[in-house]
Amino acid sequence: MADDQHRFRPIRGDVLPRFAGPATFMRLPLIDDPSLVDIAIVGVPWDGGTTNRAGARHGPREIRNQSTLMRLVHHVTRTKPYDLCKVADLGDVGVNPIDLVDTLERVETFYKRIHAAGATPLSAGGDHLITLPIMRAICRDQPVGMVHFDAHSDTWDRYFGGHKYTHGTPFRRAVEEGLLDPKRTVQIGIRGSLYGERDMDFAEQTGMRVIYIEEFYKIGVDAVIAEARRVIGDGPVYISFDVDGLDPVYAPGTGTPEIGGFTTFEAQHMLRGLRGLDIVGADVVEVSPPFDMSGNTALVGATMMFEILCPMAEAVARRKGRG
Ligand code: MN
Ligand code: MN
């Protein structure tokens, strides 16, 4: 892939300064055809599933801007994702900002095309509802496990009576639809007040491993990684990173902040601990630029995407026999 390898690399900062040029994810080429790449980075500018403060529709653009700060080699693992895989920015899904159900279909259709082309998606939200149509597109053949970083379980049932689709319900729907294996799901960082004392019943009774933030700090980050790896095992796994899992000190620009979360460094350490897992998709969601006065939350989101891209590129290279 010599020629392609050159094509699907970020623009170097000593060729065009980082502040120059249109901002694409990681300064990668913007393309339409997913069959040209191994990993497709996609924006889903959607926040119609938000129940409180909106604004995550603006996430992909600001994450793209901050992602121009990412470099080529991981400083700890020395992973070089662009040597292992062809990666590009596939643009944004054409969501319908005034129709939730239509948007779910549009997101699913977009990701079906990526999946059919054999590319692995890494996504920037958008609110957390986007993970459901992504899973509908890529997890139909076999339910996946999930490492889920979040303050919230996102396994609520309904809102305002009968409404099934909000950013608080994607993982109940994904289990109901056979896309997500709850027994191979670990939720990390859960906290915050509940509407009712039974709110966590679905997650706990279906067998999800819920690591509340209190247990996280009691057992420590290395033990959390070991437990996540035990739960996931060898099968396919999706990584879903809601930035509100972080303490709002580190990620204030989000719609549903909860104090008392993990730090950015702890999050990076956990993502590095997922090396070797069979990662089939991932997202970073709930960056809400209108609440992100310093721009730091978008930088956090971009950095977590690079942290995920590294073990994802290793997994994709292994699946393609190049690892
Ligand atoms: Mn969430
Ligand atoms: Mn959350």
Side-chain angles (χ1 to χ4, degrees):
M1 58 182 213
D3 289 346
D4 279 352
Q5 198 172 30
H6 182 72
R7 179 177 171 195
F8 293 108
R9 293 181 73 85
I11 299 169
R12 294 176 54 103
D14 58 358
V15 173
L16 184 69
R18 292 159 172 280
F19 50 82
T24 59
F25 285 120
M26 314 297 177
R27 309 192 86 201
L28 288 160
L30 178 67
I31 67 167
D32 290 323
D33 182 358
S35 70
L36 298 175
V37 293
D38 304 305
I39 295 175
I41 309 186
V42 179
V44 188
W46 167 258
D47 58 22
T50 306
T51 54
N52 188 20
R53 311 194 304 191
R57 68 179 62 183
H58 303 289
R61 184 165 292 174
E62 289 309 312
I63 292 173
R64 277 192 179 87
N65 191 21
Q66 295 296 328
S67 78
T68 61
L69 289 160
M70 301 301 110
R71 300 185 186 87
L72 305 178
V73 183
H74 194 283
H75 80 281
V76 176
T77 63
R78 301 296 161 102
T79 303
K80 300 174 188 168
Y82 311 108
D83 286 5
L84 292 169
C85 288
K86 290 179 280 185
V87 192
D89 184 333
L90 270 285
D92 284 347
V93 179
V95 300
N96 177 348
I98 55 168
D99 192 319
L100 186 153
V101 173
D102 184 36
T103 293
L104 291 176
E105 289 173 6
R106 285 162 175 261
V107 176
E108 182 178 349
T109 300
F110 192 101
Y111 282 83
K112 272 183 173 161
R113 189 164 157 263
I114 288 170
H115 187 59
T120 299
L122 171 59
S123 308
D127 73 47
H128 220 155
L129 181 58
I130 71 162
T131 310
L132 178 65
I134 294 171
M135 285 185 166
R136 284 173 173 169
I138 72 172
C139 308
R140 293 265 191 219
D141 312 333
Q142 180 186 6
V144 295
M146 177 171 68
V147 183
H148 174 201
F149 302 92
D150 206 321
H152 313 98
S153 174
D154 295 348
T155 52
W156 272 289
D157 189 6
R158 281 158 204 270
Y159 201 62
F160 275 84
H163 291 273
K164 295 170 65 177
Y165 300 118
T166 79
H167 69 158
T169 64
F171 301 122
R172 184 186 289 236
R173 300 287 95 86
V175 170
E176 290 169 347
E177 295 178 22
L179 309 169
L180 176 65
D181 180 355
K183 294 186 170 51
R184 292 185 56 240
T185 294
V186 57
Q187 304 192 304
I188 302 170
I190 307 301
R191 62 189 184 277
S193 52
L194 304 169
Y195 288 110
E197 61 186 331
R198 321 259 350 222
D199 282 5
M200 291 302 296
D201 282 4
F202 183 86
E204 292 175 350
Q205 290 173 5
T206 56
M208 293 184 184
R209 176 68 169 94
V210 181
I211 301 179
Y212 292 89
I213 197 68
E214 290 74 20
E215 182 182 3
F216 175 97
Y217 280 112
K218 186 174 181 191
I219 69 176
V221 67
D222 289 327
V224 169
I225 292 168
E227 178 65 354
R229 297 184 70 101
R230 181 193 69 77
V231 170
I232 297 304
D234 295 329
V237 61
Y238 192 92
I239 299 173
S240 196
F241 191 100
D242 182 332
V243 293
D244 72 30
L246 294 155
D247 193 278
V249 164
Y250 302 93
T254 195
T256 320
E258 304 283 354
I259 68 158
F262 46 74
T263 71
T264 43
F265 182 73
E266 287 161 344
Q268 289 172 289
H269 193 74
M270 285 190 280
L271 292 172
R272 291 165 198 169
L274 305 182
R275 237 185 150 183
L277 297 184
D278 189 23
I279 301 165
V280 297
D283 56 50
V284 173
V285 297
E286 300 284 355
V287 171
S288 179
F291 293 97
D292 194 21
M293 291 304 115
S294 69
N296 190 57
T297 311
L299 174 62
V300 167
T303 307
M304 296 308 164
M305 286 179 74
F306 183 74
E307 290 281 356
I308 294 168
L309 176 63
C310 290
M312 174 183 275
E314 291 175 337
V316 169
R318 279 195 304 277
R319 284 201 294 276
K320 300 208 170 189
R322 301 200 296 261

